[in-house]
Coordinates of all heavy atoms in Angstrom, one line a residue:
M1 N 33.4 -30.1 6.6 CA 32.9 -29.3 7.7 C 31.5 -29.8 8.1 O 30.6 -30.1 7.3 CB 32.8 -27.9 7.2 CG 32.1 -26.9 8.1 SD 33.0 -26.5 9.6 CE 33.9 -25.1 9.1
R2 N 31.3 -29.9 9.4 CA 30.0 -30.3 9.9 C 29.0 -29.3 9.7 O 29.3 -28.1 9.5 CB 30.1 -30.6 11.4 CG 31.0 -31.8 11.7 CD 31.0 -32.1 13.2 NE 31.6 -30.9 13.8 CZ 32.5 -30.9 14.8 NH1 33.0 -32.0 15.2 NH2 32.9 -29.8 15.3
R3 N 27.7 -29.7 9.6 CA 26.6 -28.7 9.4 C 26.6 -27.6 10.4 O 26.3 -26.4 10.0 CB 25.3 -29.5 9.5 CG 24.3 -29.2 8.4 CD 23.2 -30.2 8.4 NE 22.7 -30.8 9.6 CZ 21.5 -30.5 10.1 NH1 20.7 -29.7 9.5 NH2 21.1 -31.1 11.2
A4 N 26.9 -27.8 11.6 CA 26.8 -26.8 12.6 C 28.2 -26.1 12.9 O 28.3 -25.3 13.8 CB 26.3 -27.4 13.9
G5 N 29.2 -26.4 12.1 CA 30.5 -25.8 12.3 C 31.0 -26.3 13.7 O 30.9 -27.4 14.1
L6 N 31.6 -25.3 14.4 CA 32.2 -25.6 15.7 C 31.3 -25.3 16.9 O 31.7 -25.5 18.0 CB 33.5 -24.8 15.8 CG 34.5 -25.1 14.7 CD1 35.7 -24.2 14.9 CD2 35.0 -26.5 14.8
S7 N 30.1 -24.8 16.6 CA 29.3 -24.4 17.7 C 28.8 -25.4 18.7 O 28.4 -25.1 19.8 CB 28.1 -23.6 17.1 OG 27.3 -24.5 16.4
F8 N 28.8 -26.7 18.3 CA 28.4 -27.8 19.2 C 29.5 -28.6 19.7 O 29.3 -29.6 20.3 CB 27.3 -28.6 18.5 CG 26.0 -27.9 18.3 CD1 25.7 -27.4 17.1 CD2 25.2 -27.7 19.4 CE1 24.5 -26.7 16.9 CE2 24.0 -27.1 19.2 CZ 23.6 -26.5 18.0
G9 N 30.8 -28.3 19.4 CA 31.9 -29.0 19.9 C 32.1 -30.3 19.2 O 31.5 -30.6 18.2
G10 N 32.8 -31.2 19.8 CA 33.1 -32.5 19.2 C 33.7 -33.5 20.2 O 34.2 -33.0 21.3
G11 N 33.7 -34.8 19.9 CA 34.3 -35.7 20.8 C 33.7 -35.8 22.1 O 32.5 -35.7 22.3
A12 N 34.5 -35.8 23.2 CA 34.1 -35.8 24.5 C 33.3 -34.5 24.9 O 32.6 -34.5 25.9 CB 35.2 -36.1 25.5
H13 N 33.5 -33.5 24.2 CA 32.9 -32.2 24.5 C 31.7 -31.9 23.6 O 31.3 -30.7 23.5 CB 34.0 -31.1 24.3 CG 35.2 -31.3 25.2 ND1 35.2 -31.1 26.5 CD2 36.4 -31.8 24.8 CE1 36.4 -31.4 27.0 NE2 37.1 -31.9 26.0
L14 N 31.2 -32.9 23.0 CA 30.0 -32.7 22.1 C 28.8 -32.3 22.9 O 28.5 -32.9 24.0 CB 29.7 -34.0 21.4 CG 28.5 -34.0 20.4 CD1 28.9 -33.0 19.2 CD2 28.3 -35.3 19.8
C15 N 28.1 -31.3 22.5 CA 26.9 -30.7 23.2 C 25.8 -31.8 23.1 O 25.5 -32.3 22.1 CB 26.5 -29.5 22.5 SG 25.0 -28.8 23.2
L16 N 25.2 -32.1 24.3 CA 24.2 -33.0 24.4 C 22.9 -32.6 23.7 O 22.0 -33.4 23.4 CB 23.9 -33.4 25.9 CG 25.0 -34.0 26.6 CD1 24.6 -34.2 28.1 CD2 25.3 -35.4 26.0
G17 N 22.7 -31.2 23.5 CA 21.5 -30.7 22.9 C 21.6 -30.6 21.4 O 20.8 -30.0 20.7
R18 N 22.7 -31.1 20.8 CA 22.9 -30.9 19.3 C 21.8 -31.4 18.5 O 21.2 -30.8 17.6 CB 24.2 -31.5 18.9 CG 24.5 -31.3 17.4 CD 25.8 -32.0 17.0 NE 25.8 -33.4 17.3 CZ 25.9 -34.3 16.4 NH1 26.1 -34.0 15.1 NH2 25.8 -35.6 16.7
Q19 N 21.4 -32.7 18.8 CA 20.3 -33.3 18.0 C 19.0 -32.6 18.3 O 18.1 -32.5 17.4 CB 20.2 -34.7 18.2 CG 21.3 -35.5 17.6 CD 21.1 -37.0 17.7 OE1 20.3 -37.5 18.5 NE2 21.8 -37.8 17.0
L20 N 18.8 -32.1 19.5 CA 17.6 -31.3 19.8 C 17.5 -30.1 18.9 O 16.4 -29.7 18.4 CB 17.6 -31.0 21.3 CG 16.4 -30.2 21.8 CD1 15.1 -31.1 21.7 CD2 16.6 -29.7 23.2
A21 N 18.6 -29.4 18.7 CA 18.6 -28.2 17.9 C 18.7 -28.4 16.4 O 18.1 -27.8 15.7 CB 19.8 -27.3 18.4
N22 N 19.6 -29.4 16.0 CA 19.9 -29.6 14.6 C 19.2 -30.8 13.9 O 19.2 -30.8 12.7 CB 21.4 -29.8 14.4 CG 22.1 -28.5 14.4 OD1 21.5 -27.4 14.3 ND2 23.4 -28.6 14.4
G23 N 18.7 -31.7 14.7 CA 18.2 -32.9 14.0 C 19.3 -33.9 13.7 O 20.4 -33.8 14.1
T24 N 19.0 -34.9 12.9 CA 19.9 -35.9 12.5 C 20.1 -36.0 11.0 O 19.3 -36.6 10.3 CB 19.5 -37.3 13.0 OG1 18.2 -37.5 12.6 CG2 19.5 -37.3 14.6
P25 N 21.1 -35.3 10.4 CA 21.3 -35.3 8.9 C 21.7 -36.7 8.4 O 22.0 -36.8 7.2 CB 22.3 -34.2 8.7 CG 23.1 -34.2 10.0 CD 22.1 -34.6 11.1
E26 N 21.9 -37.7 9.2 CA 22.4 -39.0 8.7 C 21.4 -39.8 8.0 O 21.6 -40.9 7.6 CB 22.9 -39.8 9.9 CG 24.2 -39.2 10.6 CD 23.8 -38.1 11.6 OE1 22.6 -38.0 12.0 OE2 24.7 -37.3 11.9
Q27 N 20.2 -39.3 7.8 CA 19.1 -40.0 7.1 C 19.5 -40.2 5.7 O 20.1 -39.4 5.1 CB 17.8 -39.3 7.2 CG 17.3 -39.0 8.6 CD 16.9 -40.2 9.3 OE1 16.4 -41.2 8.8 NE2 17.1 -40.2 10.7
T28 N 19.1 -41.4 5.1 CA 19.5 -41.6 3.7 C 18.6 -40.8 2.7 O 19.1 -40.4 1.6 CB 19.3 -43.1 3.3 OG1 17.9 -43.5 3.6 CG2 20.2 -44.0 4.1
Q29 N 17.4 -40.5 3.0 CA 16.5 -39.7 2.1 C 16.1 -38.4 2.9 O 14.9 -38.3 3.3 CB 15.3 -40.5 1.7 CG 15.6 -41.6 0.8 CD 16.1 -41.2 -0.6 OE1 15.7 -40.2 -1.1 NE2 17.1 -41.9 -1.1
P30 N 17.0 -37.5 3.2 CA 16.6 -36.3 4.0 C 15.5 -35.5 3.4 O 15.5 -35.2 2.2 CB 17.9 -35.6 4.2 CG 18.7 -35.9 3.0 CD 18.3 -37.3 2.7
D31 N 14.6 -35.1 4.1 CA 13.6 -34.1 3.7 C 13.7 -32.9 4.7 O 14.5 -33.0 5.7 CB 12.2 -34.6 3.6 CG 11.6 -35.1 4.9 OD1 12.0 -34.6 5.9 OD2 10.6 -35.9 4.8
I32 N 12.9 -31.9 4.5 CA 13.0 -30.7 5.4 C 12.7 -31.0 6.8 O 13.4 -30.5 7.7 CB 12.2 -29.6 4.9 CG1 12.5 -28.3 5.6 CG2 10.7 -29.9 5.0 CD1 13.9 -27.7 5.3
L33 N 11.8 -31.9 7.1 CA 11.5 -32.3 8.5 C 12.6 -33.1 9.2 O 12.8 -33.0 10.4 CB 10.1 -32.9 8.6 CG 9.0 -32.1 8.2 CD1 7.7 -32.9 8.4 CD2 8.9 -30.8 9.1
Q34 N 13.3 -34.0 8.4 CA 14.3 -34.8 9.0 C 15.6 -33.9 9.3 O 16.4 -34.3 10.2 CB 14.7 -35.9 8.1 CG 13.6 -37.0 8.1 CD 14.0 -38.1 7.0 OE1 14.7 -37.8 6.1 NE2 13.4 -39.2 7.2
L35 N 15.7 -32.8 8.7 CA 16.9 -32.0 8.9 C 16.7 -30.9 10.0 O 17.6 -30.2 10.4 CB 17.3 -31.3 7.6 CG 17.8 -32.2 6.5 CD1 18.2 -31.4 5.3 CD2 19.1 -32.9 7.0
A36 N 15.4 -30.9 10.5 CA 15.1 -29.9 11.6 C 15.3 -30.6 12.9 O 15.0 -31.8 13.0 CB 13.7 -29.4 11.4
G37 N 15.7 -29.9 13.9 CA 15.9 -30.5 15.2 C 14.5 -30.6 15.9 O 13.5 -30.1 15.5
Q38 N 14.5 -31.3 17.0 CA 13.3 -31.6 17.7 C 12.7 -30.3 18.2 O 11.4 -30.1 18.3 CB 13.5 -32.5 18.9 CG 13.9 -33.9 18.4 CD 12.7 -34.6 17.6 OE1 11.6 -34.5 18.0 NE2 13.1 -35.2 16.5
A39 N 13.5 -29.3 18.6 CA 13.0 -28.0 19.1 C 12.2 -27.3 18.0 O 11.2 -26.8 18.2 CB 14.1 -27.2 19.6
A40 N 12.8 -27.3 16.8 CA 12.1 -26.7 15.6 C 10.8 -27.4 15.3 O 9.8 -26.8 14.9 CB 13.1 -26.7 14.4
L41 N 10.8 -28.8 15.3 CA 9.6 -29.5 15.0 C 8.5 -29.3 16.0 O 7.4 -29.2 15.7 CB 9.9 -31.0 14.9 CG 10.9 -31.4 13.8 CD1 11.2 -32.9 13.9 CD2 10.2 -31.1 12.5
L42 N 8.9 -29.1 17.3 CA 7.9 -28.8 18.3 C 7.3 -27.4 18.1 O 6.1 -27.3 18.2 CB 8.6 -28.9 19.7 CG 7.7 -28.5 20.9 CD1 6.5 -29.4 21.0 CD2 8.5 -28.6 22.2
A43 N 8.2 -26.5 17.8 CA 7.7 -25.1 17.6 C 6.8 -25.1 16.4 O 5.7 -24.4 16.4 CB 8.9 -24.2 17.3
R44 N 7.1 -25.8 15.3 CA 6.3 -25.9 14.1 C 4.9 -26.5 14.5 O 3.9 -26.0 14.0 CB 7.0 -26.8 13.1 CG 6.2 -26.9 11.8 CD 7.0 -27.7 10.8 NE 6.3 -27.8 9.5 CZ 5.4 -28.7 9.2 NH1 5.0 -29.6 10.1 NH2 4.8 -28.7 8.0
A45 N 4.9 -27.6 15.2 CA 3.6 -28.3 15.6 C 2.8 -27.3 16.4 O 1.6 -27.2 16.2 CB 3.9 -29.5 16.4
L46 N 3.4 -26.6 17.4 CA 2.6 -25.6 18.2 C 2.1 -24.5 17.3 O 0.9 -24.1 17.5 CB 3.5 -25.1 19.3 CG 3.9 -26.1 20.4 CD1 4.9 -25.4 21.3 CD2 2.6 -26.5 21.2
F47 N 2.9 -24.0 16.4 CA 2.4 -23.0 15.5 C 1.2 -23.5 14.6 O 0.2 -22.7 14.5 CB 3.6 -22.5 14.6 CG 3.2 -21.5 13.6 CD1 3.0 -20.2 13.9 CD2 3.0 -21.8 12.2 CE1 2.6 -19.2 13.0 CE2 2.6 -20.9 11.3 CZ 2.4 -19.6 11.7
L48 N 1.3 -24.7 14.1 CA 0.2 -25.2 13.3 C -1.1 -25.4 14.1 O -2.2 -25.3 13.5 CB 0.7 -26.5 12.6 CG 1.7 -26.4 11.6 CD1 2.2 -27.8 11.1 CD2 1.2 -25.6 10.4
R49 N -1.0 -25.6 15.4 CA -2.2 -25.8 16.2 C -2.6 -24.5 16.9 O -3.4 -24.5 17.8 CB -1.9 -26.9 17.2 CG -1.8 -28.2 16.6 CD -1.9 -29.3 17.6 NE -1.8 -30.6 17.0 CZ -2.8 -31.5 16.9 NH1 -4.0 -31.2 17.4 NH2 -2.6 -32.6 16.3
Q50 N -2.0 -23.4 16.4 CA -2.3 -22.0 16.9 C -2.2 -22.0 18.5 O -3.1 -21.5 19.2 CB -3.6 -21.6 16.5 CG -3.7 -21.5 15.0 CD -5.1 -21.2 14.4 OE1 -6.0 -20.9 15.2 NE2 -5.3 -21.2 13.1
A51 N -1.0 -22.4 19.0 CA -0.8 -22.4 20.4 C -0.7 -20.9 20.9 O -0.2 -20.1 20.2 CB 0.5 -23.1 20.8
R52 N -1.3 -20.7 22.1 CA -1.3 -19.4 22.7 C -1.5 -19.5 24.2 O -1.9 -20.6 24.7 CB -2.5 -18.6 22.1 CG -3.9 -19.2 22.4 CD -4.9 -18.6 21.5 NE -6.2 -19.3 21.8 CZ -6.6 -20.5 21.4 NH1 -5.8 -21.2 20.6 NH2 -7.8 -20.9 21.6
P53 N -1.0 -18.5 24.9 CA -1.1 -18.6 26.4 C -2.6 -18.8 26.9 O -3.5 -18.2 26.2 CB -0.5 -17.3 26.9 CG 0.3 -16.8 25.7 CD -0.3 -17.3 24.5
D54 N -2.8 -19.5 27.9 CA -4.1 -19.7 28.5 C -4.4 -18.5 29.4 O -3.8 -18.4 30.5 CB -4.2 -21.0 29.2 CG -5.5 -21.3 29.8 OD1 -6.4 -20.4 29.8 OD2 -5.7 -22.5 30.3
P55 N -5.3 -17.6 29.0 CA -5.6 -16.4 29.8 C -6.2 -16.8 31.2 O -6.1 -16.0 32.1 CB -6.5 -15.6 29.0 CG -7.1 -16.5 28.0 CD -6.2 -17.7 27.8
S56 N -6.8 -17.9 31.4 CA -7.4 -18.3 32.6 C -6.4 -18.9 33.6 O -6.8 -19.1 34.8 CB -8.5 -19.3 32.4 OG -8.0 -20.5 32.0
R57 N -5.2 -19.1 33.2 CA -4.2 -19.7 34.1 C -2.9 -18.8 34.0 O -2.0 -19.1 33.2 CB -3.9 -21.1 33.7 CG -5.1 -22.0 33.9 CD -4.9 -23.4 33.4 NE -3.9 -24.1 34.2 CZ -3.2 -25.2 33.8 NH1 -3.5 -25.7 32.7 NH2 -2.3 -25.7 34.6
P58 N -2.8 -17.7 34.7 CA -1.6 -16.9 34.6 C -0.3 -17.6 35.0 O -0.3 -18.5 35.8 CB -1.9 -15.7 35.6 CG -2.9 -16.3 36.5 CD -3.7 -17.3 35.8
V59 N 0.8 -17.2 34.3 CA 2.1 -17.8 34.5 C 2.9 -17.0 35.5 O 2.9 -15.7 35.5 CB 2.8 -17.8 33.2 CG1 4.2 -18.3 33.4 CG2 2.1 -18.6 32.2
E60 N 3.5 -17.7 36.5 CA 4.4 -17.0 37.4 C 5.9 -17.3 37.0 O 6.3 -18.4 37.0 CB 4.2 -17.5 38.8 CG 2.8 -17.2 39.4 CD 2.6 -17.7 40.8 OE1 3.6 -17.9 41.5 OE2 1.4 -17.9 41.2
S61 N 6.6 -16.2 36.7 CA 8.0 -16.4 36.4 C 8.8 -16.8 37.6 O 8.6 -16.3 38.7 CB 8.5 -15.1 35.7 OG 9.9 -15.3 35.4
L62 N 9.8 -17.6 37.4 CA 10.7 -18.0 38.5 C 12.0 -17.2 38.5 O 12.9 -17.4 39.3 CB 11.1 -19.5 38.4 CG 9.9 -20.5 38.5 CD1 10.4 -21.9 38.3 CD2 9.3 -20.3 39.9
S63 N 12.2 -16.4 37.4 CA 13.5 -15.7 37.3 C 13.2 -14.2 37.1 O 12.1 -13.8 37.0 CB 14.2 -16.2 36.1 OG 13.5 -16.0 34.9
G64 N 14.3 -13.5 37.1 CA 14.2 -12.0 36.9 C 13.9 -11.7 35.4 O 13.6 -12.6 34.6
P65 N 13.9 -10.5 35.1 CA 13.5 -10.1 33.7 C 14.6 -10.5 32.6 O 14.3 -10.4 31.4 CB 13.4 -8.5 33.8 CG 14.3 -8.2 35.0 CD 14.2 -9.3 35.9
S66 N 15.7 -10.9 33.0 CA 16.8 -11.2 32.0 C 16.6 -12.6 31.4 O 17.2 -12.9 30.4 CB 18.2 -11.1 32.6 OG 18.3 -12.1 33.7
R67 N 15.8 -13.5 32.0 CA 15.7 -14.8 31.5 C 14.3 -15.4 31.8 O 13.8 -15.2 32.9 CB 16.7 -15.7 32.1 CG 16.9 -17.1 31.5 CD 18.1 -17.7 32.1 NE 18.1 -19.1 31.6 CZ 18.6 -20.1 32.3 NH1 19.1 -19.9 33.4 NH2 18.5 -21.3 31.7
D68 N 13.7 -16.1 30.8 CA 12.3 -16.7 31.1 C 12.5 -18.1 31.6 O 12.9 -19.0 30.9 CB 11.5 -16.7 29.8 CG 11.2 -15.3 29.3 OD1 11.1 -14.4 30.1 OD2 11.0 -15.1 28.1
V69 N 12.1 -18.3 32.8 CA 12.1 -19.7 33.5 C 10.8 -19.9 34.2 O 10.4 -19.0 34.9 CB 13.3 -19.8 34.5 CG1 13.3 -21.2 35.1 CG2 14.6 -19.6 33.8
Y70 N 10.2 -21.0 33.9 CA 8.8 -21.3 34.4 C 8.8 -22.7 35.0 O 9.4 -23.6 34.4 CB 7.7 -21.1 33.4 CG 7.8 -19.8 32.6 CD1 8.4 -19.7 31.4 CD2 7.3 -18.6 33.2 CE1 8.4 -18.5 30.7 CE2 7.4 -17.4 32.5 CZ 7.9 -17.4 31.2 OH 8.0 -16.2 30.5
H71 N 7.9 -22.9 36.0 CA 7.6 -24.3 36.3 C 6.6 -24.9 35.3 O 6.7 -26.1 35.0 CB 6.9 -24.3 37.7 CG 7.9 -24.5 38.8 ND1 7.8 -25.4 39.8 CD2 9.1 -23.8 39.1 CE1 8.8 -25.3 40.7 NE2 9.6 -24.3 40.2
F72 N 5.7 -24.1 34.9 CA 4.7 -24.5 33.8 C 4.3 -23.3 33.0 O 4.5 -22.2 33.5 CB 3.5 -25.2 34.5 CG 2.7 -24.2 35.3 CD1 1.6 -23.6 34.8 CD2 3.0 -24.1 36.7 CE1 0.9 -22.7 35.6 CE2 2.2 -23.2 37.4 CZ 1.2 -22.5 36.9
Y73 N 3.9 -23.5 31.8 CA 3.4 -22.5 30.9 C 2.2 -23.0 30.2 O 2.3 -23.6 29.2 CB 4.5 -22.1 29.9 CG 4.2 -20.8 29.2 CD1 4.7 -19.6 29.7 CD2 3.3 -20.7 28.1 CE1 4.4 -18.4 29.1 CE2 3.0 -19.5 27.5 CZ 3.6 -18.4 28.0 OH 3.3 -17.2 27.4
P74 N 1.0 -22.8 30.8 CA -0.2 -23.3 30.2 C -0.6 -22.7 28.9 O -0.5 -21.5 28.7 CB -1.3 -23.0 31.2 CG -0.7 -22.1 32.2 CD 0.7 -22.1 32.0
I75 N -1.0 -23.5 27.9 CA -1.3 -23.0 26.6 C -2.6 -23.6 26.1 O -3.1 -24.6 26.7 CB -0.2 -23.3 25.5 CG1 0.0 -24.8 25.4 CG2 1.1 -22.6 25.8 CD1 0.9 -25.2 24.2
L76 N -3.3 -23.0 25.2 CA -4.5 -23.5 24.5 C -4.1 -23.9 23.1 O -3.3 -23.2 22.4 CB -5.6 -22.5 24.5 CG -6.1 -22.0 25.9 CD1 -7.0 -20.9 25.7 CD2 -6.7 -23.2 26.6
L77 N -4.7 -24.9 22.6 CA -4.4 -25.4 21.2 C -5.8 -25.4 20.4 O -6.8 -25.8 21.0 CB -3.8 -26.7 21.1 CG -2.5 -26.9 21.9 CD1 -2.0 -28.4 21.9 CD2 -1.4 -26.1 21.2
D78 N -5.7 -25.2 19.1 CA -6.9 -25.3 18.3 C -6.8 -26.7 17.6 O -5.8 -27.2 17.3 CB -7.0 -24.2 17.3 CG -7.5 -22.9 18.0 OD1 -8.2 -23.0 19.0 OD2 -7.3 -21.9 17.4

């Protein structure tokens, strides 16, 4: 059984975002960071640098209240 089960499909129907979400478990010496996807690593890096919204640059949403879509989302890092 694959690590992600059936949620990412397979063959010609394989989800292009699978590695972004899951990482690449094919490493010979996996550690916790190699098993995390790029999205998780990015979130971890932002958390470690105490990312927060920039109050001097307000964000304008491009979508309704059901989904968050932005052209940009300014943040501050420590």
